[in-house]
């Protein structure tokens, strides 16, 4: 088990050994009920300073080659999503306790937040329309049948429109609760 010279971006307590990174990837996929994309795993692992990007990319590729995980072909149009295979599940169960608890918890909690954000973004939409004197941002919260909420808001600048759109898509429930509370 070789230690790479790569340590850029890895915070104290993060992982440096190739085998640890592979175990962490298997643990992460095992702990979640939904698959993760490569970009989501990258955000979780490198964004939290748990691993170096180059080691992560190498470990992911080696796990695919060794039959621990696989790309979910039917999800390819949405990106490259991965699922754990039985060999990877066994690796996670046998070796995950060799990783620091804080690393395991941080990675799973971060992944759950990323999945929640992705789910909200797919279930809701916000569009920006240019007008003569500014921008109209239309926020829509979807439901099974009719829209749960549809709100259009005027803002004078493109930057404000983008901020409104992003904040709504990050947590549309805040807007919904606020509207309900103000109408009671």
């Amino acid at each position: 088990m070789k230690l790479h010279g790569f340590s850029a971006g890895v915070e104290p307590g993060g992982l440096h050994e190739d085998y640890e990174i592979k175990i962490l990837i298997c643990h992460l996929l095992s702990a979640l009920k939904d698959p993760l994309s490569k970009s989501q795993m990258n955000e979780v692992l490198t964004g939290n300073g748990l691993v170096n990007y180059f080691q992560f990319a190498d470990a992911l590729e080696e796990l695919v080659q060794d039959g621990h995980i696989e790309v979910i072909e039917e999800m390819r149009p949405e990106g490259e999503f991965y699922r754990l295979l039985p060999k990877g599940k066994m690796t996670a169960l046998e070796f995950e306790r060799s990783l620091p608890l804080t690393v395991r918890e941080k990675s799973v909690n971060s992944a759950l937040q990323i999945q929640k954000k992705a789910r909200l973004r797919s279930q809701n939409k916000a569009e920006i329309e240019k007008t003569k004197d500014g921008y109209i941002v239309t926020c829509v919260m979807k439901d099974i049948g009719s829209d749960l909420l549809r709100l259009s808001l005027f803002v004078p600048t493109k930057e404000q429109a983008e901020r409104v759109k992003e904040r709504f898509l990050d947590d549309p429930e805040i807007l919904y609760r606020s509207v309900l509370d103000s109408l009671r």
Side-chain angles (χ1 to χ4, degrees):
M1 308 198 213
K2 60 184 181 208
L3 179 65
H4 278 283
F6 299 119
S7 62
V10 181
E11 294 180 4
L15 307 179
H16 296 278
E17 298 279 352
D18 292 341
Y19 75 93
E20 292 176 318
I21 296 167
K22 290 177 187 177
I23 294 168
L24 181 58
I25 292 170
C26 289
H27 166 72
L28 187 58
L29 291 172
S30 175
L32 302 171
K33 65 179 180 181
D34 295 324
L36 285 173
S37 70
K38 182 176 183 175
S39 65
Q40 289 172 328
M41 279 191 272
N42 179 45
E43 186 177 342
V44 168
L45 301 177
T46 64
N48 285 300
L50 299 175
V51 302
N52 173 276
Y53 172 76
F54 298 106
Q55 286 182 281
F56 157 69
D58 288 346
L60 188 64
E61 184 60 34
E62 288 175 23
L63 286 168
V64 171
Q65 290 174 357
D66 294 343
H68 287 82
I69 62 176
E70 69 177 351
V71 176
I72 304 171
E73 292 299 327
E74 56 270 17
M75 292 184 78
R76 272 218 192 253
E78 299 171 36
E80 206 166 81
F81 282 80
Y82 294 86
R83 82 172 128 225
L84 205 56
L85 294 171
K87 188 175 179 181
K89 185 78 166 167
M90 187 176 71
T91 297
L93 289 172
E94 287 186 28
F95 299 109
E96 66 190 2
R97 294 218 183 269
S98 68
L99 302 175
L101 178 61
T102 55
V103 168
R104 287 182 280 149
E105 288 178 345
K106 190 175 195 178
S107 65
V108 171
N109 290 337
S110 178
L112 289 170
Q113 289 302 312
I114 287 170
Q115 285 181 330
K116 178 183 177 187
K117 190 174 183 179
R119 198 168 29 261
L120 287 173
R121 284 182 175 264
S122 71
Q123 294 171 348
N124 302 286
K125 70 178 186 172
E127 296 175 346
I128 298 172
E129 177 187 338
K130 173 90 172 105
T131 64
K132 181 175 75 172
D133 54 348
Y135 296 85
I136 299 287
V137 183
T138 301
C139 303
V140 181
M141 233 178 138
K142 298 285 188 181
D143 196 19
I144 295 171
S146 301
D147 294 339
L148 194 55
L149 172 81
R150 178 178 291 270
L151 176 74
S152 293
L153 179 68
F154 173 82
V155 293
T157 68
K158 177 77 170 168
E159 293 77 25
Q160 287 174 318
E162 290 293 340
R163 263 196 315 275
V164 168
K165 176 182 176 179
E166 289 305 311
R167 291 206 48 199
F168 171 73
L169 290 174
D170 282 346
D171 195 352
E173 295 169 16
I174 289 175
L175 178 61
Y176 184 71
R177 275 187 258 125
S178 297
V179 168
L180 283 180
D181 288 346
S182 66
L183 296 174
R184 289 184 185 179

